[in-house]
Amino acid sequence: MVKDSIDKLALDLERIQFLEEPLDGISFLLLADMYGVVYPSYPTITRGFKSLGLQVISASTVGVPALAQDLFYFEITSQVPEELSKHVVSSNKAQANWYRELLEAWKDAKPPPTTTEEAARLVIQTLKKNQQAEVEGLLAFYGLPLPHALIQLSAEIHTSWPEGVQFELHTLPVHAKAVGDGDGMTVYVSTADPRESGRIPSEVLLATAQRSKARAGKDYTTADALHLKITDSGYRVINHQNQEILARKYRLRLMGIDAPEMSMPYGDEAKEELVNLVQGKCLRVLVYGEDKYGRTIGDVYCNGIFVQEAMLKKGFAWHHKVYDKRPEFAAWEKEAQAKQVGLWASPNPEKPWEWKQNNRREDS
């Protein structure tokens, strides 16, 4: 019966060309319910789809949507996945208590986990009073990293500014496409911020008011032209939580680190790691100034994580000692080098600044 339902769903998905992109977890579960694919456990349904040659979710994040679906279903039915008992020895009642606690923690997380590492940290923190073997069994069930595989990050968050910091920014949620590489991104700060509100150019304020009037009159051609004028001035109207916000654009460069260029080995991996850290999240940026390219140079904090620390410890960036003398940066780089993680898996990785210098010579 389940096979027949899956066959019908697969056929309809193919007809309406849904198969070009992976289905997100919630959409997958809802579609399955619509077609009568009852819930034995998310991994079981996923295997059924994969047996038909369908891609449900990308392999790199398989554990996150699987856990999300099981929590979603637990909230409705109070049932835990049957196959979990193959990985843990606790009773079904104990497992239900885990899922109840995890469901509350998942709801409280702002935003909820999007990477396997974030999900693993949430599970470990929420179930820290349980036996380690049981927690590790749950993590293994969802393909999430075990505790020893997670990079240990400092809990310290600066409440006072370090020496050299000029001011502080609080950004709107960062879009994945705004991340250019492993050490830079574009961010936006609401002009409702006290520091920004008095700095808006008069022509931007006028264009914003005129755009709102044009949209109210459904003159979208004029509204789009006015928005182009706004963006050319370094601002953008962003829809945030169903509300339009005028925001200022900042091109941000992470202080003290240098990630591989996109054309270098580990360039793609470094960018992907930075996306995983900041995507969909609001950032706290301690700004030191601007570089010669007009980029804002700063320390970046995200959900209590110091982003430069994470990039260095995971081996996706170098400590740029010329511009930043902080000893902890050097220590974090040495830690990654000793563990041979990230770019340090290569015996003699080329430094980005040397690579750029060599390529300039070749171009000339």
Side-chain angles (χ1 to χ4, degrees), residues 124-146:
I124 293 167
Q125 178 63 26
T126 304
L127 303 182
K128 60 185 178 182
K129 294 181 180 179
N130 293 274
Q131 292 185 6
Q132 183 176 346
E134 294 294 81
V135 175
E136 291 184 355
L138 180 64
L139 292 170
F141 177 63
Y142 288 107
L144 300 175
L146 299 180

Side-chain angles (χ1 to χ4, degrees), residues 268-311:
D268 288 333
E269 291 86 346
K271 176 182 176 180
E272 182 179 355
E273 181 59 34
L274 186 55
V275 169
N276 288 339
L277 285 167
V278 305
Q279 181 181 7
K281 302 181 180 73
C282 299
L283 309 180
R284 179 186 181 222
V285 185
L286 304 182
V287 178
Y288 291 86
E290 288 189 355
D291 65 8
K292 62 183 179 180
Y293 304 107
R295 297 175 299 186
T296 298
I297 308 298
D299 288 342
V300 178
Y301 293 86
C302 175
N303 284 7
I305 293 174
F306 185 23
V307 173
Q308 284 106 302
E309 178 187 357
M311 295 298 290

Side-chain angles (χ1 to χ4, degrees), residues 207-227 230 237-239 243-245:
T208 302
Q210 292 173 336
R211 176 184 176 274
S212 296
K213 184 177 179 180
R215 286 181 62 82
K218 297 185 178 181
D219 183 359
Y220 299 116
T221 301
T222 299
D224 290 345
L226 287 164
H227 194 247
I230 294 169
V237 178
I238 295 175
N239 191 300
Q243 181 181 1
E244 287 199 336
I245 295 175

Side-chain angles (χ1 to χ4, degrees), residues 13 38 45 67 81 186 254 313:
L13 284 172
V38 295
I45 301 176
L67 176 57
T186 298
L254 274 61
K313 283 188 171 181

